[in-house]
Amino acid sequence: MPVASRTFVNFEILQNADFEQSINFSTDYDFDGKDYELVIAADYSSNAIVTLKSDDPQGSTNGAARLVLIESSGNASVLSVRIPAVAGTGSGANTFKTGDFADDFEGVWELLERSSSGDVIRQAEGDVIVRNGLFPTLFTYDID
């Protein structure tokens, strides 16, 4: 059983800034044969405003919103939650970005794991608070 089982982690997200949060599982937790979905919904709503999946494409140009599984020998296995400031591009990429959250958004999230046998486990959950960005993304140039 992973350490993350029934773990509560709060997300504090700044609009128009890249967001990344790691969820640590027990040492050498095996992600093989499992799919993950993370859903974010507004408080008192059961309708998701965004769903991130472990099989979402990485995207090109800008990284897409998605879950990234990182397994390492001898260290904790990690699931990384990534939501970019600039929407991802590319075939099938999740185009959700931090600026898509409403001003003063407050909500909840949950992470579900589905095994190849079809069992579904809620691995983690928590609250989501979005801090308003003062400006839309202004960077329109590449850094050398």
Side-chain angles (χ1 to χ4, degrees):
M1 180 182 297
V3 171
S5 183
R6 297 292 296 162
T7 294
F8 293 87
V9 178
N10 293 330
F11 292 170
E12 185 171 336
I13 300 171
L14 177 63
Q15 286 177 328
N16 306 317
D18 291 335
F19 172 77
E20 186 168 348
Q21 174 72 46
S22 296
I23 301 171
N24 296 321
F25 287 71
S26 58
T27 303
D28 295 325
Y29 185 74
D30 188 7
F31 289 133
D32 292 340
K34 298 173 184 163
D35 291 319
Y36 294 85
E37 285 191 6
L38 186 138
V39 178
I40 298 174
D43 278 342
Y44 311 108
S45 173
S46 58
N47 296 322
I49 64 159
V50 64
T51 300
L52 307 177
K53 299 179 181 183
S54 56
D55 61 354
D56 282 340
Q58 178 175 340
S60 57
T61 309
N62 305 309
R66 65 194 184 107
L67 300 176
V68 179
L69 304 175
I70 305 165
E71 287 182 279
S72 58
S73 180
N75 296 313
S77 297
V78 177
L79 188 143
S80 179
V81 179
R82 297 181 182 172
I83 304 174
V86 178
T89 58
S91 179
N94 186 333
T95 59
F96 191 86
K97 57 192 182 302
T98 57
D100 291 338
F101 285 107
D103 288 350
D104 298 320
F105 176 88
E106 291 190 15
V108 293
W109 68 273
E110 69 180 3
L111 173 68
L112 300 177
E113 173 188 274
R114 184 182 62 188
S115 68
S116 56
S117 64
D119 295 331
V120 176
I121 299 170
R122 179 189 283 171
Q123 290 289 6
E125 59 191 294
D127 292 326
V128 177
I129 296 173
V130 176
R131 304 288 181 214
N132 297 357
L134 299 179
F135 299 100
T137 303
L138 300 175
F139 297 108
T140 58
Y141 57 88
D142 291 329
I143 298 175
D144 293 332

